């Protein structure tokens, strides 16, 4: 350590999903070139990183040269989605290749614990001869299994001087509480000095350095960034301070015809905290969250770091409380503060991704390593007036996904991949690329065939995606809902204390402002989508999921 997808006909869908489910590892498998080196996997996943804030996806806001380079030297998935837009569940989908109702981790609450003893991607890779490691945020209960080495943040973790839970004996215990389910006799918790994104990177590079170099490896680098409350590394504190960000088209959404959207509590204007989220410290009347920032977050920074935060935020804070803006002006002011802080955090994330690529380059590993960059879900950057995620609407059901691909191993595809993909596909993809069998109970499909050649994308046999969000009651008050997304339409059902169906024609209404569920001109499409959603629920054994 240095110091830290119009709609297919019902029969087509049924046969489509059937084909996908029957896919095997050997089908169309890349014949390894004799003497070729085995494939290594570097999977980098951040937290809450919206595709809007990656220049490879969206040039309106910021520049992310290192993430863009991964896409340039490989592929950018333009239709990439999660199955459940919330941390622990999303990570469980990724690790198991199964929807939430099958892997058991339906929401972030530890009352719905992830059963670590189930089949997972790292266990399968390890059994197949891979050396495996995971560093950073996993947000699942208990001790990670299937890794030769791991160091995880307790829960969300901290941006500064973060504690990590590590296998016992790796470091000295320093008294941090362990998450529910952790076998305390098997772990140590230790606080590291520095900024979390740097520390996770350094720990990852340290592991690469000391790994058994005779074996292929799979390294899972899971960043805390860019989770709320967006605390920048000191070197990025001044960045973007002179920038005014354009508000997105739907910033002033009135949620007409969408009661669940109206009932959320993730409004920048109403729910974003001036002190906790936006770091305005001279608040005469801080909220509970504000007090937590003052004592629990800002309060535990080192004096030198506090001074650097003060030099940026205190003049802004004093000016704000002297003449606080109101109404829409306040919403726009908060939006800009939010965008700046979030962008600063992405600067560090992108830079650290660059360090990992550089290490792989220096150690002659780029030719036999796939580097994946994704996030545990998308995020609202002011669209609909929001921050956070959870909804099946585009900004949060989507997630960025780029892959730097080793041409030397036959992965010659470059540019955009436009097939609908979902995070349950990662596990079967990596197993397939590693030449390992894909267990039949995995629900995702291997994307490997999409990565081989340029030209028409092979049909993977899946015409629609299933989505289900469960965390209600819960923070931000997003109602439970499930639905289907095709390349053109989306149908979703909010249930519980709200019982409302919503349907969108994404071609005519990409911002999902007009709910056409009751529009007679869409009656035929709606009947088809309803049948297809039923078909998907049966296919995924989700008929009883709620
Ligand atoms: C925390 C945040 C929420 C966020 C959840 C889940 N509140 O509870 O804003 O939606 O995490 O995020 S905070 O006051 O603690 O910042 S997730 O990415 O882990 O699923
Ligand atoms: Ca997240």
């Amino acid at each position: 350590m240095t110091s830290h997808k119009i709609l297919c006909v019902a029969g087509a869908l049924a046969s489509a999903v059937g084909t996908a489910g029957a896919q095997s590892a050997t089908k169309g498998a890349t014949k390894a070139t004799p003497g070729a080196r085995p494939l290594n996997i570097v999977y980098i996943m951040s937290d809450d990183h919206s595709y809007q804030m990656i220049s490879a996806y969206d040039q309106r806001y910021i520049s992310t040269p290192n993430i863009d380079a991964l896409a340039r030297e490989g592929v950018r998935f333009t239709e990439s989605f999660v199955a459940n837009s919330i941390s622990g569940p999303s990570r469980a989908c990724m690790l198991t290749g199964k929807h939430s109702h099958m892997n058991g981790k339906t929401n972030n609450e530890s009352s719905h614990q992830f059963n670590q003893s189930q089949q997972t991607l790292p266990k399968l890779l390890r059994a197949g001869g891979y050396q495996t490691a995971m560093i950073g945020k996993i947000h699942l209960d208990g001790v990670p299994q299937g890794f030769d080495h791991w160091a995880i943040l307790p829960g969300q973790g901290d941006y500064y001087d973060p504690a990590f839970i590590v296998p016992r004996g790796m470091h000295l215990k320093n008294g941090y509480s362990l998450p529910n389910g952790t076998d305390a006799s098997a772990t140590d918790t230790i606080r590291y000095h520095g900024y979390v994104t740097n520390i996770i990177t350094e720990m990852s590079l340290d592991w690469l350095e000391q790994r058994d170099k005779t074996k292929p490896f799979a390294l899972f680098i899971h960043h805390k960034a860019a989770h709320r409350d967006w605390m920048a590394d000191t070197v990025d504190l001044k960045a973007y301070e002179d920038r005014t960000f354009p508000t997105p088209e739907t910033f002033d959404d009135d949620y007409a015809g969408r009661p669940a959207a109206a009932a959320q509590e993730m409004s920048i204007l109403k729910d974003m905290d001036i002190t906790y989220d936006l770091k305005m410290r001279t608040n005469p009347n801080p909220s509970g969250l504000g007090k937590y920032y003052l004592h629990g977050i800002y309060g535990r920074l080192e004096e030198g770091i506090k001074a650097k935060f003060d030099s940026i935020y205190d003049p802004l804070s004093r000016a704000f409380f002297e003449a606080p803006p109101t109404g829409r002006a306040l919403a726009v002011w908060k939006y800009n503060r939010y965008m700046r802080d979030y962008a600063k955090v992405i600067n560090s994330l992108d830079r650290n991704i660059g360090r990992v690529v550089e290490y792989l380059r220096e150690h002659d590993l780029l030719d036999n390593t796939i580097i994946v960059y994704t996030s545990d879900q998308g995020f609202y950057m002011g669209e609909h007036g929001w921050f956070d995620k959870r909804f099946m609407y585009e900004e949060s059901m989507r997630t960025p996904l780029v892959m730097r691909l080793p041409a030397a191993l036959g992965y010659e595809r470059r540019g955009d991949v436009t097939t609908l993909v979902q995070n349950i596909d990662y596990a079967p993809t990596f197993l397939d690329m590693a030449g390992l069998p894909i267990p039949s109970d995995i629900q995702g499909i291997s994307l490997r065939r999409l990565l081989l050649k340029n030209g028409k994308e092979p049909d993977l046999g899946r015409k629609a995606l299933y989505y289900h969000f469960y965390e209600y009651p819960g923070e931000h008050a997003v109602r439970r809902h499930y639905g289907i997304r095709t390349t053109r339409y989306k149908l979703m059902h909010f249930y519980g204390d709200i019982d409302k169906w919503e349907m969108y024609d994404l071609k005519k209404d990409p911002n999902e402002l007009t709910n056409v569920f009751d529009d007679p001109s869409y009656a035929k499409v709606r009947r088809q989508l309803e049948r297809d959603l039923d078909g998907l629920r049966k296919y995924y054994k989700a008929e009883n999921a709620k």
Side-chain angles (χ1 to χ4, degrees):
M1 269 307 300
T2 349
S3 48
H4 32 281
K5 162 161 76 202
I6 168 172
L7 190 60
C8 56
V9 295
L13 175 68
S15 71
V17 290
T19 310
Q23 183 168 353
S24 78
T26 45
K27 195 172 158 194
T30 318
K31 293 278 173 286
T33 317
R37 299 148 78 197
L39 178 81
N40 300 309
I41 301 163
V42 173
Y43 175 86
I44 308 175
M45 177 165 65
S46 58
D47 198 2
D48 293 0
H49 192 186
S50 56
Y51 58 88
Q52 302 94 306
M53 298 297 267
I54 297 179
S55 41
Y57 279 97
D58 190 332
Q59 265 118 49
R60 286 176 300 174
Y61 304 124
I62 63 169
S63 170
T64 50
N66 292 298
I67 299 173
D68 295 8
L70 296 178
R72 215 171 35 243
E73 292 158 19
V75 292
R76 174 184 80 147
F77 285 83
T78 62
E79 309 300 320
S80 158
F81 299 87
V82 295
N84 183 354
S85 185
I86 185 91
S87 178
S90 179
R91 292 157 200 272
C93 291
M94 181 277 283
L95 281 175
T96 61
K98 295 176 185 170
H99 278 284
S100 305
H101 65 283
M102 296 299 283
N103 67 47
K105 187 67 184 167
T106 52
N107 68 42
N108 260 345
E109 306 301 319
S110 43
S111 52
H112 292 72
Q113 292 214 354
F114 180 69
N115 175 6
Q116 295 275 6
S117 67
Q118 68 188 297
Q119 167 184 285
T120 62
L121 170 66
K123 290 182 192 176
L124 293 163
L125 286 170
R126 196 177 184 203
Y130 271 73
Q131 214 178 157
T132 56
M134 179 177 56
I135 313 289
K137 178 177 172 181
I138 187 58
H139 212 183
L140 295 171
D141 325 87
V143 172
Q145 294 182 21
F147 297 99
D148 292 293
H149 174 70
W150 52 270
I152 58 171
L153 295 167
Q156 298 286 6
D158 291 315
Y159 275 107
Y160 278 93
D161 296 349
F164 282 81
I165 304 170
V166 297
R168 166 139 288 185
M170 202 181 103
H171 293 286
L172 294 171
K173 194 172 179 86
N174 78 345
Y176 281 83
S177 58
L178 302 175
N180 286 345
T182 304
D183 175 0
S185 67
T187 62
D188 284 325
T189 304
I190 185 160
R191 191 199 273 223
Y192 286 77
H193 182 249
Y195 185 70
V196 70
T197 311
N198 300 330
I199 297 172
I200 289 172
T201 304
E202 281 153 21
M203 284 178 152
S204 301
L205 299 183
D206 279 355
W207 180 76
L208 282 174
E209 200 53 35
Q210 56 84 59
R211 74 189 200 279
D212 175 350
K213 303 204 173 65
T214 63
K215 287 184 177 171
F217 66 86
L219 169 61
F220 298 75
I221 306 175
H222 292 194
H223 286 290
K224 170 183 172 61
H227 197 273
R228 197 181 178 187
D229 64 327
W230 316 294
M231 297 282 283
D233 187 355
T234 52
V235 299
D236 299 308
L237 276 170
K238 292 191 179 128
Y240 305 103
E241 280 301 325
D242 57 354
R243 283 282 303 279
T244 300
F245 291 87
T247 51
E249 264 179 86
T250 59
F251 189 67
D252 300 299
D253 190 1
D254 63 3
Y255 316 120
R258 289 160 288 144
Q264 53 46 56
E265 294 169 6
M266 48 193 250
S267 151
I268 290 178
L269 177 61
K270 297 181 194 146
D271 306 304
M272 185 173 269
D273 193 87
I274 202 77
T275 299
Y276 170 72
D277 289 304
L278 303 179
K279 306 158 194 75
M280 299 298 110
R281 195 167 74 85
T282 64
N283 192 345
N285 192 17
S287 67
L289 264 182
K291 286 179 185 149
Y292 172 62
Y293 175 77
L294 294 172
H295 303 294
I297 297 188
Y298 169 85
R300 57 178 281 278
L301 297 177
E302 257 173 31
E303 291 309 317
I305 295 180
K306 276 186 184 160
K308 289 181 178 159
F309 270 71
D310 294 349
S311 72
I312 298 296
Y313 295 105
D314 282 5
L316 294 163
S317 183
R318 281 191 292 268
F320 178 86
F321 288 109
E322 263 159 37
T326 54
R328 190 172 192 278
L330 176 59
V332 172
W333 188 91
K334 291 176 83 175
Y335 164 77
N336 271 289
R337 289 301 333 153
Y338 161 51
M339 291 292 281
R340 290 181 192 121
D341 284 355
Y342 188 109
K344 293 175 192 189
V345 169
I346 302 302
N347 271 11
S348 160
L349 184 60
D350 187 72
R351 187 165 60 238
N352 276 285
I353 291 167
R355 290 172 70 187
V356 173
V357 178
E358 212 33 57
Y359 178 94
L360 297 170
R361 192 185 315 278
E362 279 167 10
H363 292 79
D364 189 28
L365 287 163
L366 282 181
D367 282 352
N368 64 327
T369 301
I370 178 179
I371 308 171
V372 179
Y373 181 70
T374 188
S375 169
D376 65 338
Q377 12 71 204
F379 211 71
Y380 295 90
M381 310 307 305
E383 296 86 359
H384 307 284
W386 298 338
F387 64 105
D388 215 67
K389 53 255 176 181
R390 301 165 188 260
F391 280 107
M392 192 186 165
Y393 301 129
E394 290 292 272
E395 291 82 0
S396 45
M397 185 183 176
R398 285 182 178 274
T399 199
L401 179 66
V402 300
M403 297 180 184
R404 188 189 188 284
L405 298 171
L409 296 187
Y411 296 103
E412 290 169 1
R413 178 95 202 180
R414 294 296 176 266
D416 285 351
V417 173
T418 61
T419 300
L420 287 175
V421 304
Q422 201 165 27
N423 58 344
I424 55 169
D425 301 333
Y426 303 171
T429 302
F430 299 149
L431 289 169
D432 198 2
M433 293 179 82
L436 297 170
I438 302 169
S440 60
D441 61 343
I442 281 188
Q443 297 185 312
I445 57 181
S446 169
L447 308 177
R448 191 189 55 78
R449 289 192 297 143
L450 297 172
L451 308 176
L452 300 176
K453 299 243 170 307
N454 290 314
K456 193 170 181 295
E457 288 171 36
D459 185 354
L460 299 185
R462 185 176 56 195
K463 301 278 184 278
L465 302 179
Y466 176 67
Y467 181 89
H468 202 144
F469 172 80
Y470 300 81
E471 193 171 307
Y472 183 82
E475 199 176 356
H476 301 299
V478 175
R479 270 47 179 192
R480 295 179 186 213
H481 57 294
Y482 60 89
I484 179 172
R485 191 196 191 283
T486 68
T487 56
R488 175 157 178 188
Y489 297 104
K490 199 180 273 182
L491 174 72
M492 52 182 114
H493 182 209
F494 291 91
Y495 62 93
D497 57 2
I498 286 178
D499 179 5
K500 182 76 178 175
W501 286 84
E502 294 184 19
M503 186 178 140
Y504 298 97
D505 179 342
L506 298 166
K507 191 170 171 197
K508 293 196 180 144
D509 177 26
N511 290 328
E512 301 165 299
L513 296 174
T514 310
N515 177 10
V516 295
F517 185 77
D518 292 318
D519 181 334
S521 66
Y522 281 94
K524 207 173 154 198
V525 177
R526 170 180 147 183
R527 277 195 300 277
Q528 187 64 60
L529 280 166
E530 288 170 336
R531 279 195 292 269
D532 289 344
L533 176 56
D534 280 353
L536 272 185
R537 297 225 332 145
K538 282 198 184 75
Y539 177 73
Y540 288 127
K541 302 186 171 69
E543 300 104 305
N544 301 316
K546 52 184 173 35

